[in-house]
Amino acid sequence: MDGIQATSAAVAAENLPGAHKDFDRGYTPPISGLLVRTVVPSPLVRWILPARIRHKNKNDVVFISDRSIEVKEYLGDSLREVITKDDFDSTIRAARVIGTPPIPLTAKKPNDLDAIIKEEEVDEASADSMELDVFASPEVPPQILVLAMESGSKDKLLFLFAYYDLSHRIRFLSFEHPLLYHKRYAERLGKLVAVDPRSRAMAVAATSGSFIVYTLKSMAQLREEVESPAGLLQDKFVPVLGERLMKLDGIILRIEFLHPRREDEYHVILLVVISMGERIKLRVYDWDSSKDLQTIKTGGDLLVKANKKCPLLLIPFTMTTGFILVSEDAMAVYWNIMTGSIKSDRLRLEHQDIKEPGSSRKMPLFTSWARPTRREDWNLENDAFYLCREDGSVKFVEFHRDNLPRLTKSEVGGISINVDTAFAVLDDDGIGKYHMGGRSYDMLVAAGDMSGGILMRFEARKWPEPQQSIPNWAPMMDFCTAHVAPDLESDAARPSVSYESQIHGHERLFGCFGRGKDHGAVGEIQTGVEASSRINFEVNSGITGMWILPDVSGSPNSTCVLMTDPEDMTTLLRIQNNGSSAEEIVDFEDLCGIDLDSVTLAAGSTLANIVIQITKRSMRALSPTLGSRFIHTFERETIKLAHIEGQSSAVLVATNNNFLHYGEFFITNREIALSWEADQNSPFSLSSEASCVYLVKVEQYMFAFVGTTAGQLHLFSVGLETGFLLILTRDFHEEFGICDSIAVIARDSETKAWPLMAVVCGLRNGSVHSFFFDAIDNNVMLELTEFRSLGTTTVTIRSDASSCSGPGHLCSRALVSCAEDICRLYYQPSRLASKQTVIHSVIQSIWLSALDQPGFRQSSIMCIAQSDPWIFDRDSVSGLLFCINDSRLHLTELDYGLRSSPIVRKMPVPGTPSRIIFSRLVNKLVVAFTTIRVRESQDNRDRERSRKTRLLFPTLMFLDPNGRHMQDLQEPPYGISDLSTSNPQKLPLGVPKNIGPSGTKVLGLMEWRPSVLGKEFPLLVVNTLRARRDGRADSGSIQVYHITRGTPNIVVIELKHNISFDKPVYSLASYGASSLVFCSGTTLCLRTMTDVDGVLKWILMPSYELNTRAIHISVREPYIYLSTASNSVMVFKVEDTLLVPQISDASGRPGFHHLLVPSHSLILATNMEKTVMGLWQSPEPPLDNSSRTVFEAVLPESIRKLCEGAIKPPWLTIPETSPKAIIGSSMDGSFHHFKLLKEETWRLLRFIQNMAERNRTICPHTYAEPPATHIEPSVREKCMDIKGDLLYRLLDRGPPDTAALLRDMLEKEPDPDRRGYDFDTREARQQRFFDIVDIALEPTSLQDRIEAVVGFLRREILLPVL
């Protein structure tokens, strides 16, 4: 037997049933897998780098996180998401940019004025040609991103840039260069990266001991080698020319290249800041870039003076060979570095007020700097940069070469957030915005540190102006799920619904995050597409219809909104654009040609520039450019329904006597005319009343869709000469299956992809029916392909105008609204090898948001409308989504990206939150947080000085989950708001209340409903820790509050018990009808509340001494489950008066949290080693009391909390019998979904994962070093996890590409260098895969198993959770 056969045989034997039987008790643990996928990615951003890594005409900004990068495009006043790359499968330690961007107009010399004026005269055609230039042919961009990656024992440098392929899709081209590996982490290279200003060299340093210097190819040389007529050559992209390892003693604090004199073409200068004991040294290396790196030489070390503190920032000058070392309170300026007479001086930084006094005992530190773009001639003599402090204070400093070291300018501002290293000044093209080569403002961007980020405009002598928020919800301190019941006026008005019944239904996800009174928040975590509200204003209630029209007065800077209200009136509003970002909205009714006294049934503007309005009695048309108007009146009939087709200026109406009429408007002799179908005098008669009508033009054919109250959908071919020709009819068989709205969308409006169109119907019963519609070569097909229930009220369908690719083309997406939900819907149909059709629908929630109202939550959606981007001026309201939410009209910018993204609705909290729960008793969120108060007292040593003391108070607050009752938060009134008394208090929502003395921290919140003598008590239990400054040991307490709901805005709360303990109470849970189990210090305790002579008293029950504290406790009687600081899971059983140990995790890993999964007899446990485990709880404890590990998954970050919840998108229908989703959160703000898998499902997914890990397309940076496992799935616990994010990459390419890629992986020949990890032949691999498919999947009519697997993967991986 050879090696391959032996390995395959071993894997097969390992997978035999019963191979892992527990012989101690005769029980066998289940074979169960764990699917892990990211639901919400981490929002943490480490660095922000302006870098044109796509194209010279694309002003990109790269947001770099720990394991991903996000490319955004800077549009002058906002940042727009372009693409995210998250397939590195390793950690990013450092990042820099090589290459130089094109010189913007703001940086050109004054003598280039003529050129500047010519460039500022760029018209719309020139802008379009620039856009076409982006897609002309792939090319190397001006700049390249360099990442230092940490991946196990294979650290590397990654050079990459983006480009557009021939299909206009963004691709990445990369080159990997290995880094020398050291076992000691401090000596591993990649901690610091520096790039020469002219991109001739690069240095990569470790924390201590060594650094490497690289010689780089010029960008011109790279373009010459990589670009070719056939496209970009991957194997020719090698930026590195040579390298040299440099050794040194000490810790490397900073490393940076200095700017040589401009005439020194080949001079390279590298500065290294070294810490040796208590001394800090500066060492300069320099060499000739035209020669070998062996010529590197160094001068003597320069010792930093003792009074200069450890440098926080190293900033090189551009105007001279010098630099600045920034410390806590000063700048050390060095210049004349290479002249032999180094000069230095120390400048004290002016004191800046602390943004949030009391948040720390120390002064905030400077964490980052950025240099703005200035004119080229200005840079010869001057230098300027922004310094940013961690509390958001920004200092602008400016130097002149002849005045060193004195400052020529020093200004102070702020960006009102906490900042770490993610801070940058954005470059700007300056086209059409700046004059005379000078810029009037700088645009700063920063990602928040325990706060949100911001894009801020800084202009001289003006207050900074925020432009855009950058969401951040990390670190996530705690989260909960909430089934929010409808608000009722009082408890007495509530229906008699059992407490348990409230836990069923849709739940929402809330978390708490942020630091300090300005940034603490509770947020609702949602995913979907953001519709950011630009402006909103009050409109009449009950609007039933809305349409967007060009200004009928002919003004190019305004737009009209036509609305119909229930009072049989039409309201016309004009939105004026005054040339700035603000828009003025005024009532506008003085217009001839628009009927404002009737109900409008349909309105619109056509490609022929004809504005049409249809009311119950008339059709009106006007041309603003020609001044022509036309009115057609219906004398004998009343119009009930109407639709306008903008491409042909066609109209379709249904009247009260069930007749259909078709007509077309046209212009003749500068006048508007109307033609009707040939048989207008004998119009087509419907057998039942019409419920909706819709016109669509496909090629040269016009089709009419008509829904009826009989539950039918008719399809007609219609024309002026032919009239109505009924082609086919489809029936809606379910109850209230009446079609109220229709939209026809295309998969790809520029190709003849088969089938071409989808007909989406919104029904009165809250469901959506989708048909595939093909109308090519007179072969009309209308087949039902999907049914989806969205709610219980009527569904409104609209085409998404922003998805239209050109004039007269069909939109590729639809907008769907039902009650308070808005969604975006599109389809990905694919043609199979079997000639069958498989449709793949994608639906995304749309969430309204507002920059000035972070807690805004959308409610009932009355109407939605859009402007056609091919009819309206692109600079006006083109593509905006108009939405009436309750009685407010919102003008929103809809994110056109196809990926759903996290959207967090924030409710401010005046402190640093730590715990959150949802109280079903009062239907509110309960959040515990810490507030800081600074107390001044007289200093006993110096009576002229005051002494400041920081006091930290535990605070409690109730919040409405919908945010409707939030109040402006003021400084908490500590003297009045003490809840330590036993008197009932009425606590308004959003008002913080102190619940303990200074130094107390809330460690846990729990809602408890104990029952004593048949009486239930609605209680809130708080466990705390109190830290003392007087040297005494920390103590703790359990506080029990009685809570009831008063009015919807009031919670009545009363302290019933305050039990003090000598040790902190780290965790607690309820046990039985009236008992609490908790951990005080390292003691596990059980106490029972009982009635003694009519008084509730606590009786001490058994206790057990643990080795370490219990961080989390849960109960499933008679068992008590613990996650402790030294063990991920410990299980106890209550027997009489004893707590008896049952089982524990044999690995003894420090635990964080756990979740019981009784249906699988599993305990899902997390620990501090970034592992999630499935521990099996046997019916009887094993002899060694060690639990069996069923599966083990390693994640990028530790999961701090696990929770079950019926969370799902509002539009997703899940059977009531389906298990709740298991969600876990990490400190970095990411949320993961965990799903237990049956053996056959796990085996199929693991087989695909094992192949994908070896595929360069799916794992482009790790495919060459896949895990040392066989492709045949192994049931070892460390092989039982499924990486959902990796499989998502396989599916993200679209169904046809996914199937092709899966076939390629199956048909790939085995790698002879990987003997023992693959099958002997590709045929053997294919056969084994198909055997697994036949077992895992239900019998399918599809002949192609690959397509069946693709559909299965989409259901398992792409089904949204939030």
Side-chain angles (χ1 to χ4, degrees):
M1 180 181 295
D2 61 21
I4 297 178
Q5 292 173 329
T7 301
S8 300
V11 173
E14 186 184 48
N15 292 338
L16 289 175
H20 296 283
K21 188 173 182 179
D22 186 353
F23 294 102
D24 289 341
R25 298 288 188 180
Y27 296 103
T28 304
I31 298 178
S32 180
L34 181 70
L35 172 63
V36 184
R37 62 186 178 115
T38 303
V39 178
V40 176
S42 170
L44 282 179
V45 179
R46 300 300 183 187
W47 303 277
I48 299 176
L49 300 178
R52 295 178 184 251
I53 64 168
R54 258 191 312 161
H55 192 273
K56 61 185 178 183
N57 294 337
K58 293 295 183 181
N59 198 351
D60 290 334
V61 183
V62 185
F63 284 57
I64 302 173
S65 303
D66 285 332
R67 299 175 66 87
S68 65
I69 65 172
E70 183 179 5
V71 181
K72 297 176 181 284
E73 185 175 2
Y74 175 47
L75 302 176
D77 59 355
S78 64
L79 292 167
R80 182 181 66 186
E81 181 180 349
V82 176
I83 190 172
T84 298
K85 181 176 174 62
D86 54 7
D87 56 3
F88 298 111
D89 296 319
S90 51
T91 302
I92 303 173
R93 298 188 69 192
R96 281 298 182 98
V97 176
I98 62 175
T100 54
I103 299 177
L105 298 184
T106 53
K108 291 192 175 182
K109 299 179 182 180
N111 56 15
D112 291 333
L113 179 59
D114 292 338
I116 294 173
I117 294 175
K118 290 180 181 179
E119 291 187 61
E120 287 182 343
E121 293 174 352
V122 174
D123 55 11
E124 192 69 28
S126 299
D128 292 340
S129 66
M130 291 174 62
E131 189 69 21
L132 291 175
D133 184 47
V134 173
F135 304 117
S137 61
E139 62 181 48
V140 178
Q143 294 177 295
I144 295 173
L145 185 65
V146 184
L147 304 175
M149 312 296 296
E150 176 186 325
S151 179
S153 61
K154 295 186 181 294
D155 297 344
K156 58 192 174 185
L157 288 177
L158 181 64
F159 300 78
L160 78 158
F161 64 86
Y163 66 95
Y164 287 91
D165 63 13
L166 298 179
S167 301
H168 297 179
R169 291 181 295 184
I170 299 178
R171 304 295 189 194
F172 284 92
L173 192 143
S174 62
F175 168 76
E176 297 179 6
H177 187 82
L179 287 172
L180 186 64
Y181 178 74
H182 290 271
K183 290 184 178 180
R184 290 185 67 245
Y185 189 77
E187 297 182 8
R188 293 179 65 172
L189 295 162
K191 173 64 176 177
L192 300 170
V193 177
V195 175
D196 172 60
R198 302 174 189 173
S199 296
R200 301 164 298 179
M202 182 175 68
V204 179
T207 303
S208 65
S210 65
F211 65 92
I212 292 184
V213 176
Y214 296 93
T215 301
L216 302 177
K217 295 178 182 178
S218 67
M219 297 303 297
Q221 183 179 353
L222 283 176
R223 293 188 187 96
E224 183 178 351
E225 294 176 350
V226 176
E227 296 176 2
S228 73
L232 300 179
L233 305 178
Q234 167 77 53
D235 57 338
K236 298 295 183 180
F237 180 49
V238 183
V240 177
L241 278 174
E243 63 182 88
R244 180 184 174 185
L245 179 65
M246 308 292 292
K247 293 283 188 177
L248 53 75
D249 295 327
I251 298 174
I252 303 176
L253 299 178
R254 293 287 184 270
I255 185 169
E256 191 61 77
F257 285 88
L258 302 183
H259 289 250
R261 294 183 303 173
R262 293 179 181 265
E263 59 270 21
D264 292 342
E265 182 179 356
Y266 301 107
H267 197 185
V268 181
I269 308 169
L270 178 65
L271 173 68
V272 183
V273 183
I274 310 168
S275 174
M276 300 182 66
E278 296 181 357
R279 297 179 299 173
I280 296 176
K281 294 182 177 182
L282 306 176
R283 185 175 299 173
V284 176
Y285 299 83
D286 72 304
W287 65 96
D288 190 326
S289 63
S290 65
K291 299 180 181 180
D292 190 83
L293 288 175
Q294 299 303 319
T295 62
I296 295 177
K297 60 181 182 295
T298 179
D301 293 345
L302 177 64
L303 186 65
V304 177
K305 295 180 181 179
N307 62 344
K308 297 177 182 176
K309 299 181 181 179
C310 181
L312 303 172
L313 303 173
L314 169 57
I315 306 173
F317 280 126
T318 58
M319 61 185 176
T320 185
T321 304
F323 59 92
I324 301 171
L325 291 178
V326 180
S327 60
E328 296 180 21
D329 55 2
M331 295 190 299
V333 182
Y334 295 81
W335 70 102
N336 292 346
I337 298 299
M338 303 305 296
T339 62
S341 57
I342 299 177
K343 296 183 178 181
S344 66
D345 201 352
R346 184 171 182 267
L347 300 178
R348 183 171 181 81
L349 290 171
E350 297 178 5
H351 174 73
Q352 301 176 55
D353 292 336
I354 301 176
K355 295 295 182 181
E356 191 174 333
S359 61
S360 174
R361 294 188 178 96
K362 297 182 179 180
M363 284 290 295
L365 303 178
F366 287 98
T367 58
S368 52
W369 69 277
R371 178 176 282 116
T373 304
R374 293 294 185 262
R375 293 195 318 266
E376 187 177 4
D377 67 308
W378 188 90
N379 289 332
L380 294 175
E381 303 292 333
N382 302 272
D383 206 347
F385 50 85
Y386 288 90
L387 292 174
C388 187
R389 209 168 62 177
E390 58 184 333
D391 65 342
S393 293
V394 175
K395 185 178 184 66
F396 176 75
V397 294
E398 190 173 290
F399 291 90
H400 191 279
R401 186 169 63 177
D402 296 336
N403 292 332
L404 285 176
R406 291 180 298 173
L407 293 172
T408 58
K409 183 182 292 186
S410 178
E411 297 178 357
V412 177
I415 52 178
S416 304
I417 64 171
N418 302 323
V419 182
D420 194 3
T421 53
F423 175 76
V425 179
L426 302 186
D427 297 329
D428 204 302
D429 290 329
I431 298 178
K433 298 179 183 178
Y434 310 110
H435 301 280
M436 304 297 292
R439 60 185 308 152
S440 59
Y441 61 83
D442 289 320
M443 195 71 75
L444 276 63
V445 61
D449 177 30
M450 295 191 74
S451 71
I454 199 165
L455 177 67
M456 184 81 76
R457 172 174 168 163
F458 271 67
E459 190 168 358
R461 295 174 295 279
K462 290 186 179 181
W463 193 254
E465 181 181 347
Q467 303 293 308
Q468 183 181 0
S469 63
I470 299 173
N472 178 31
W473 52 91
M476 181 62 63
M477 306 306 298
D478 193 15
F479 79 97
C480 68
T481 60
H483 175 64
V484 183
D487 283 329
L488 297 173
E489 290 302 321
S490 65
D491 287 331
R494 291 190 178 193
S496 57
V497 179
S498 65
Y499 173 75
E500 288 75 13
S501 67
Q502 296 184 37
I503 66 174
H504 301 295
H506 171 60
E507 295 183 55
R508 291 151 58 183
L509 187 64
F510 292 88
C512 60
F513 48 88
R515 179 181 62 194
K517 65 177 183 180
D518 294 330
H519 306 298
V522 168
E524 180 176 6
I525 315 297
Q526 306 163 130
T527 61
V529 180
E530 185 172 15
S532 179
S533 180
R534 291 172 54 177
I535 52 175
N536 65 88
F537 54 92
E538 195 80 22
V539 295
N540 295 336
S541 60
I543 298 296
T544 58
M546 178 170 56
W547 300 268
I548 314 303
L549 306 173
D551 192 338
V552 293
S553 66
S555 173
N557 295 323
S558 54
T559 302
C560 290
V561 180
L562 195 71
M563 295 180 291
T564 291
D565 60 32
E567 302 296 329
D568 292 346
M569 298 289 290
T570 293
T571 303
L572 188 63
L573 300 179
R574 170 190 281 175
I575 301 174
Q576 294 183 330
N577 186 350
N578 59 9
S580 67
S581 58
E583 294 180 328
E584 182 182 5
I585 301 176
V586 297
D587 291 336
F588 196 78
E589 299 183 0
D590 188 18
L591 285 174
C592 298
I594 296 293
D595 184 0
L596 301 178
D597 297 324
S598 304
V599 174
T600 299
L601 302 177
S605 181
T606 72
L607 288 177
N609 198 22
I610 300 176
V611 178
I612 303 172
Q613 180 198 20
I614 303 177
T615 65
K616 291 183 178 181
R617 287 290 185 179
S618 67
M619 291 196 302
R620 297 168 178 254
L622 60 151
S623 173
T625 57
L626 300 178
S628 174
R629 297 180 178 87
F630 177 91
I631 301 177
H632 177 84
T633 304
F634 285 75
E635 300 292 344
R636 302 179 180 178
E637 298 173 292
T638 300
I639 303 175
K640 292 196 62 179
L641 299 167
H643 184 257
I644 301 169
E645 201 281 323
Q647 182 179 352
S648 301
S649 302
V651 294
L652 173 65
V653 299
T655 61
N656 59 331
N657 48 16
N658 296 341
F659 286 156
L660 295 177
H661 296 281
Y662 172 79
E664 293 182 6
F665 286 95
F666 60 95
I667 296 177
T668 177
N669 296 326
R670 301 182 60 85
E671 294 293 335
I672 300 176
L674 173 64
S675 295
W676 292 102
E677 77 272 16
D679 54 352
Q680 183 192 10
N681 294 327
S682 56
F684 187 90
S685 179
L686 297 170
S687 59
S688 56
E689 183 180 352
S691 56
C692 68
V693 293
Y694 187 86
L695 276 177
V696 61
K697 187 173 185 179
V698 182
E699 301 292 337
Q700 69 272 27
Y701 304 105
M702 186 71 72
F703 294 95
F705 291 88
V706 179
T708 69
T709 55
Q712 293 182 318
L713 177 65
H714 301 297
L715 171 59
F716 297 90
S717 172
V718 63
L720 294 177
E721 298 181 358
T722 60
F724 290 87
L725 299 177
L726 181 62
I727 300 175
L728 51 83
T729 298
R730 295 288 181 261
D731 295 319
F732 302 105
H733 298 289
E734 63 268 25
E735 188 177 5
F736 297 108
I738 300 173
C739 182
D740 282 334
S741 60
I742 299 173
V744 177
I745 59 177
R747 173 180 179 266
D748 187 347
S749 58
E750 295 182 351
T751 65
K752 297 297 186 291
W754 189 94
L756 179 65
M757 294 159 289
V759 179
V760 187
C761 301
L763 272 60
R764 197 167 295 179
N765 59 11
S767 64
V768 174
H769 288 242
S770 299
F771 299 84
F772 267 0
F773 175 41
D774 185 10
I776 297 178
D777 300 330
N778 295 322
N779 182 21
V780 178
M781 177 196 73
L782 192 67
E783 294 182 0
L784 179 65
T785 56
E786 186 182 52
F787 165 83
R788 187 187 297 272
S789 178
L790 299 185
T792 57
T793 59
T794 187
V795 176
T796 301
I797 307 287
R798 296 285 186 272
S799 298
D800 182 2
S802 64
S803 66
C804 182
S805 61
H809 290 220
L810 292 176
C811 298
S812 59
R813 298 190 292 264
L815 300 176
V816 184
S817 64
C818 180
E820 63 182 29
D821 301 318
I822 318 176
C823 308
R824 188 169 69 182
L825 175 70
Y826 62 96
Y827 290 90
Q828 294 179 326
S830 60
R831 191 86 179 272
L832 306 187
S834 58
K835 306 301 181 183
Q836 292 179 278
T837 301
V838 175
I839 69 157
H840 304 284
S841 65
V842 179
I843 187 167
Q844 301 164 309
S845 298
I846 295 176
W847 300 102
L848 301 183
S849 67
L851 178 62
D852 58 341
Q853 301 178 46
F856 172 78
R857 175 175 172 79
Q858 67 194 45
S859 51
S860 179
I861 305 299
M862 306 302 297
C863 290
I864 56 176
Q866 265 184 318
S867 57
D868 191 331
W870 301 101
I871 295 176
F872 285 76
D873 186 343
R874 290 179 176 270
D875 292 330
S876 58
V877 295
S878 171
L880 292 185
L881 175 65
F882 290 69
C883 175
I884 297 182
N885 180 71
D886 282 339
S887 59
R888 298 195 69 84
L889 174 61
H890 294 263
L891 277 66
T892 68
E893 294 184 83
L894 190 63
D895 183 6
Y896 68 88
L898 295 182
R899 264 195 177 188
S900 293
S901 57
I903 301 162
V904 179
R905 184 178 65 87
K906 293 172 59 176
M907 294 176 282
V909 170
T912 302
S914 58
R915 293 292 182 267
I916 185 173
I917 64 169
F918 176 72
S919 170
R920 298 187 183 96
L921 296 171
V922 295
N923 199 40
K924 305 300 176 193
L925 293 168
V926 187
V927 58
F929 55 97
T930 300
T931 53
I932 299 175
R933 186 181 179 187
V934 179
R935 183 178 63 191
E936 294 191 14
S937 59
Q938 191 177 48
D939 195 326
N940 294 329
R941 298 179 182 178
D942 187 353
R943 295 185 178 276
E944 294 183 359
R945 294 181 56 187
S946 62
R947 181 182 178 184
K948 296 182 178 180
T949 305
R950 297 169 69 247
L951 302 177
L952 279 68
F953 289 90
T955 313
L956 203 66
M957 190 162 67
F958 290 84
L959 298 176
D960 177 14
N962 295 323
R964 285 192 288 264
H965 306 303
M966 287 297 298
Q967 301 179 6
D968 293 334
L969 301 176
Q970 306 294 333
E971 184 73 19
Y974 293 99
I976 302 175
S977 58
D978 192 353
L979 283 179
S980 59
T981 63
S982 58
N983 298 324
Q985 295 188 30
K986 293 183 178 181
L987 183 60
L989 301 183
V991 175
K993 293 293 182 179
N994 176 26
I995 60 171
S998 172
T1000 303
K1001 181 180 180 180
V1002 175
L1003 298 182
L1005 297 171
M1006 184 185 72
E1007 189 178 61
W1008 189 29
R1009 202 178 179 92
S1011 176
V1012 179
L1013 298 180
K1015 184 178 180 180
E1016 287 189 344
F1017 299 89
L1019 303 178
L1020 175 68
V1021 185
V1022 183
N1023 58 289
T1024 70
L1025 171 153
R1026 186 182 183 189
R1028 300 180 183 272
R1029 295 184 178 180
D1030 53 9
R1032 289 185 292 172
D1034 295 346
S1035 59
S1037 67
I1038 294 178
Q1039 303 174 14
V1040 181
Y1041 296 91
H1042 183 274
I1043 57 173
T1044 56
R1045 184 179 181 184
T1047 65
N1049 200 26
I1050 295 291
V1051 173
V1052 180
I1053 182 169
E1054 179 183 1
L1055 178 64
K1056 288 293 186 180
H1057 304 276
N1058 191 352
I1059 310 171
S1060 299
F1061 297 89
D1062 294 335
K1063 301 290 180 62
V1065 180
Y1066 292 106
S1067 53
L1068 59 78
S1070 63
Y1071 184 92
S1074 58
S1075 299
L1076 286 178
V1077 56
F1078 58 92
C1079 178
S1080 175
T1082 58
T1083 305
L1084 182 65
C1085 306
L1086 189 66
R1087 285 197 177 189
T1088 298
M1089 186 171 64
T1090 186
D1091 185 283
V1092 178
D1093 299 330
V1095 180
L1096 293 178
K1097 292 188 176 182
W1098 294 91
I1099 299 177
L1100 184 63
M1101 300 292 285
S1103 62
Y1104 188 92
E1105 194 66 28
L1106 305 170
N1107 293 328
T1108 54
R1109 68 184 186 276
I1111 300 173
H1112 173 59
I1113 302 176
S1114 66
V1115 171
R1116 187 169 182 262
E1117 299 178 43
Y1119 297 104
I1120 299 173
Y1121 302 81
L1122 312 178
S1123 288
T1124 73
S1126 62
N1127 202 304
S1128 58
V1129 169
M1130 297 181 68
V1131 182
F1132 290 82
K1133 186 177 182 180
V1134 180
E1135 294 183 356
D1136 297 329
T1137 59
L1138 297 176
L1139 292 172
V1140 181
Q1142 298 293 297
I1143 60 174
S1144 63
D1145 177 19
S1147 62
R1149 287 166 285 200
F1152 259 143
H1153 209 266
H1154 65 263
L1155 181 70
L1156 307 180
V1157 190
S1159 59
H1160 291 70
S1161 299
L1162 290 177
I1163 307 168
L1164 198 62
T1166 74
N1167 57 56
M1168 300 182 186
E1169 298 175 358
K1170 303 180 182 181
T1171 304
V1172 176
M1173 302 172 297
L1175 303 177
W1176 181 54
Q1177 185 175 4
S1178 174
E1180 296 183 35
L1183 296 179
D1184 59 357
N1185 289 338
S1186 297
S1187 60
R1188 169 79 167 85
T1189 301
V1190 177
F1191 52 74
E1192 182 177 316
V1194 179
L1195 276 68
E1197 296 291 336
S1198 295
I1199 300 298
R1200 299 293 301 269
K1201 183 176 181 179
L1202 293 166
C1203 183
E1204 269 188 317
I1207 57 174
K1208 63 181 184 64
W1211 44 264
L1212 183 62
T1213 302
I1214 297 179
E1216 293 185 2
T1217 56
S1218 299
K1220 292 185 176 182
I1222 300 175
I1223 297 294
S1225 70
S1226 300
M1227 283 290 287
D1228 66 354
S1230 60
F1231 284 83
H1232 300 269
H1233 177 223
F1234 301 93
K1235 182 179 181 181
L1236 299 178
L1237 303 174
K1238 297 180 180 179
E1239 178 184 356
E1240 54 271 20
T1241 302
W1242 160 81
R1243 201 174 291 275
L1244 173 58
L1245 295 178
R1246 185 72 193 198
F1247 198 105
I1248 297 172
Q1249 175 180 310
N1250 289 343
M1251 292 192 298
E1253 288 176 330
R1254 295 160 168 81
N1255 185 271
R1256 182 171 184 171
T1257 302
I1258 302 173
C1259 299
H1261 308 292
T1262 56
Y1263 73 96
E1265 302 92 19
T1269 57
H1270 197 278
I1271 288 182
E1272 173 69 28
S1274 167
V1275 293
R1276 294 194 298 268
E1277 58 267 18
K1278 293 187 178 181
C1279 299
M1280 300 300 294
D1281 66 305
I1282 302 299
K1283 300 175 182 177
D1285 295 345
L1286 187 146
L1287 297 182
Y1288 179 85
R1289 301 176 204 164
L1290 173 64
L1291 296 167
D1292 193 37
R1293 309 180 67 84
D1297 289 345
T1298 298
L1301 197 54
L1302 195 53
R1303 289 191 181 93
D1304 289 343
M1305 291 189 293
L1306 288 170
E1307 295 172 359
K1308 180 184 177 182
E1309 291 291 343
D1311 185 356
D1313 296 333
R1314 299 283 299 172
R1315 295 176 62 87
Y1317 301 107
D1318 199 351
F1319 292 86
D1320 297 338
T1321 64
R1322 66 176 185 179
E1323 289 78 14
R1325 188 196 306 126
Q1326 292 173 359
Q1327 185 57 52
R1328 178 57 179 152
F1329 176 75
F1330 292 142
D1331 291 343
I1332 294 175
V1333 171
D1334 292 339
I1335 296 173
L1337 303 185
E1338 297 293 332
T1340 175
S1341 59
L1342 293 174
Q1343 299 176 9
D1344 194 336
R1345 290 191 185 98
I1346 299 295
E1347 300 294 346
V1349 170
V1350 172
F1352 169 76
L1353 286 174
R1354 293 182 66 85
R1355 293 189 298 272
E1356 286 291 326
I1357 306 300
L1358 295 188
L1359 189 67
V1361 178
L1362 275 178

